[in-house]
Amino acid sequence: MATAADITHIACVVYPGYDALDLAGALEPLTMLSSNVPFQFYVVGPSLEPVTTKVNASVVKTVSPSFGQSIAPTHTYDNPPEKIDFLIIPGGMMFLDPIERQQPTIDFVKKTYPKVKYVLSVCTGSVILAQAGILDGKRATSNKACWAWVMENCPNVNWVAKARWVVDGNVWTTSGVAAGMDGMFAWITQIYGEAAATVAANVIEYDRHTDASWDPFSDAWRTTDPDHGKSVQPKFTE
Amino acid sequence: MATAADITHIACVVYPGYDALDLAGALEPLTMLSSNVPFQFYVVGPSLEPVTTKVNASVVKTVSPSFGQSIAPTHTYDNPPEKIDFLIIPGGMMFLDPIERQQPTIDFVKKTYPKVKYVLSVCTGSVILAQAGILDGKRATSNKACWAWVMENCPNVNWVAKARWVVDGNVWTTSGVAAGMDGMFAWITQIYGEAAATVAANVIEYDRHTDASWDPFSDAWRTTDPDHGKSVQPKFTE
């Protein structure tokens, strides 16, 4: 098991259509922690061009094409940081877009995973891990609002239908979007201790959930229903 | 009181050292809402160069200088969008940096406020509103972890020491970082109704607080203590 001293270089991936809060929520506790832990941090993308959170307007007709922000990578998949101890993978509205569009990210994650100490995915970031083969035979979770799509596209994973986050070896997967904050705080608690997590949570005024099995959204989206997938479809508009 | 039909153009400001989660947390519910409300959205900054969340390394010695991300503005303070109905102002670690550094943002907010229907600040974004004179004589709140600094630098505001968010007229101010999500959900509830807020919260799996007076962080940072400011200093490392 890696310890705090082993974690000095942290990176995230970004790709078109990634979710801004998936990333910012998971990074914020680390930003606070960086007050006393001198992390090196990198943003790795397909190129150095700013990467938009906007979804593919030619595919997705239901989200305002103008709504989103763009982040500037510090490194590229072809020229990544030399050292990555902890890799963070945000999700996005990939269920509204062909998965193949994320192939460069999947390839980078597959290539990088053997070198990292930990990986943490938020939301449908677990689908990128699954497509890279990293979740084969592992327990994992994902966003509950698109559960049928996740299970259908990633059959080799032991998906946990009711979980705020799941840990299997050095792979941490969290449920949808906001769950990334709770998963990251749990990771910080494991590596740096409860006091470090509490200080960070109090500064960012986040009311964290510390029970990995807490998951009312599993109920809201009926992910434990045997007929899930037939009975419940993603519903992103009223 | 403006209604849903009046809100079509939404913008945020970004400036060096703004907090990524302040912004992404407040924007996420709007992103989900944009599934059925065709917002135009803009990111307005000092220039079109990507704006970093990193704090000023020459002033702030306690945060890893490498930790942060950069967002690409769509518009500038000198050449802003023609129409802004709703302006969102993230905070940042301004208490570690001279406020004067934010003067271009303060000037833009001051100039823009008379034209908007609503403004919402997250965390120390309320200090930008205060410096622009917009909170003079108004009730408002801010991050509780740097409460003494907020009160000292913005004496003309009726600061509410215990509040998740505060509404005064068309000005919404929220407490620190994560409180921006609750404040935004409350705003959405008022303008678009409870059902719209619930759908968005279920998709992003956020356990929102719907009581504006809920504020355990006021207790954690003792903001209602008469000796606050003498007895409690910001504490960002263990």
Side-chain angles (χ1 to χ4, degrees):
Chain A
M1 185 76 73
T3 64
D6 298 317
I7 312 295
T8 55
H9 292 66
I10 299 179
C12 67
V13 293
V14 288
Y15 51 88
Y18 84 95
D19 186 276
L21 181 54
D22 283 18
L23 187 63
L27 292 183
E28 188 81 10
L30 292 174
T31 305
M32 297 301 128
L33 191 65
S34 81
S35 295
N36 54 353
V37 182
F39 297 129
Q40 291 295 316
F41 178 69
Y42 314 107
V43 177
V44 190
S47 79
L48 292 178
E49 288 297 304
V51 175
T52 182
T53 63
K54 291 176 187 174
V55 292
N56 187 343
S58 68
V59 175
V60 184
K61 305 297 186 192
T62 54
V63 177
S64 293
S66 83
F67 215 99
Q69 52 182 278
S70 294
I71 190 171
T74 62
H75 292 73
T76 66
Y77 295 152
D78 290 337
N79 195 15
E82 283 188 23
K83 188 176 188 321
I84 299 176
D85 301 312
F86 185 23
L87 182 62
I88 298 160
I89 303 171
M93 287 211 174
M94 292 171 286
F95 47 85
L96 299 173
D97 213 1
I99 294 178
E100 294 73 39
R101 198 160 171 253
Q102 314 305 349
Q103 198 60 47
T105 303
I106 293 164
D107 292 343
F108 174 74
V109 169
K110 186 171 190 169
K111 182 179 74 174
T112 305
Y113 173 68
K115 306 175 205 166
V116 306
K117 311 288 195 311
Y118 291 99
V119 67
L120 182 146
S121 70
V122 181
C123 196
T124 51
S126 57
V127 172
I128 288 176
L129 283 172
Q131 295 290 322
I134 294 164
L135 297 184
D136 285 358
K138 281 201 167 67
R139 296 172 70 251
T141 199
S142 195
N143 189 309
K144 304 307 171 357
C146 55
W147 194 245
W149 177 85
V150 168
M151 288 194 298
E152 189 181 313
N153 281 278
C154 310
N156 300 328
V157 183
N158 298 329
W159 290 112
V160 182
K162 189 177 176 71
R164 188 67 168 166
W165 70 89
V166 168
V167 184
D168 191 330
N170 66 351
V171 179
W172 292 59
T173 54
T174 83
S175 192
V177 194
M181 294 186 274
D182 291 326
M184 183 58 82
F185 272 116
W187 182 86
I188 287 174
T189 300
Q190 178 176 305
I191 307 291
Y192 302 92
E194 175 60 28
T198 300
V199 169
N202 281 349
V203 171
I204 71 167
E205 303 194 19
Y206 180 64
D207 184 27
R208 63 197 167 112
H209 290 280
T210 55
D211 175 2
S213 70
W214 177 86
D215 189 5
F217 304 104
S218 167
D219 302 330
W221 298 105
R222 295 169 52 195
T223 56
T224 58
D225 185 331
D227 284 332
H228 183 85
K230 297 178 200 127
S231 60
V232 180
Q233 294 298 316
K235 179 171 177 263
F236 295 94
T237 59
E238 286 185 85
Chain B
M1 185 76 75
T3 65
D6 298 315
I7 312 293
T8 55
H9 293 65
I10 299 178
C12 67
V13 293
V14 288
Y15 51 88
Y18 86 94
D19 187 275
L21 182 53
D22 282 18
L23 186 64
L27 291 182
E28 188 82 9
L30 292 175
T31 305
M32 296 302 129
L33 191 66
S34 81
S35 297
N36 56 353
V37 181
F39 297 127
Q40 291 296 315
F41 178 69
Y42 313 106
V43 178
V44 190
S47 78
L48 291 177
E49 288 298 305
V51 174
T52 181
T53 62
K54 290 177 188 173
V55 291
N56 187 344
S58 67
V59 175
V60 184
K61 305 297 185 190
T62 54
V63 176
S64 292
S66 83
F67 215 98
Q69 51 182 280
S70 294
I71 190 171
T74 62
H75 291 73
T76 65
Y77 295 153
D78 289 337
N79 194 16
E82 284 188 25
K83 188 175 187 319
I84 299 176
D85 301 312
F86 185 23
L87 181 63
I88 297 159
I89 303 171
M93 288 212 175
M94 292 171 284
F95 47 85
L96 299 172
D97 213 0
I99 294 178
E100 294 72 39
R101 197 159 172 252
Q102 314 305 349
Q103 198 60 48
T105 304
I106 294 164
D107 292 343
F108 174 73
V109 168
K110 186 172 189 168
K111 181 179 74 175
T112 305
Y113 173 67
K115 306 176 204 164
V116 306
K117 311 287 195 311
Y118 291 99
V119 67
L120 182 146
S121 70
V122 181
C123 196
T124 51
S126 56
V127 172
I128 289 176
L129 283 173
Q131 295 290 322
I134 293 163
L135 297 184
D136 286 358
K138 281 200 166 69
R139 297 171 70 252
T141 199
S142 194
N143 189 309
K144 303 308 170 0
C146 54
W147 194 245
W149 177 86
V150 168
M151 286 193 299
E152 188 181 313
N153 280 278
C154 310
N156 300 327
V157 183
N158 298 328
W159 290 112
V160 182
K162 189 176 176 73
R164 189 66 167 166
W165 70 87
V166 168
V167 184
D168 191 331
N170 67 350
V171 179
W172 293 59
T173 54
T174 83
S175 193
V177 194
M181 294 186 274
D182 292 327
M184 184 59 83
F185 272 116
W187 181 85
I188 286 174
T189 300
Q190 178 176 305
I191 307 290
Y192 302 92
E194 176 59 30
T198 299
V199 169
N202 280 349
V203 171
I204 71 167
E205 302 194 23
Y206 180 64
D207 184 27
R208 63 196 166 113
H209 290 281
T210 55
D211 176 0
S213 68
W214 177 87
D215 188 6
F217 304 104
S218 166
D219 301 330
W221 297 105
R222 296 170 49 198
T223 57
T224 57
D225 184 334
D227 283 333
H228 183 85
K230 297 178 201 129
S231 60
V232 180
Q233 294 297 318
K235 179 170 176 264
F236 295 95
T237 60
E238 285 184 89

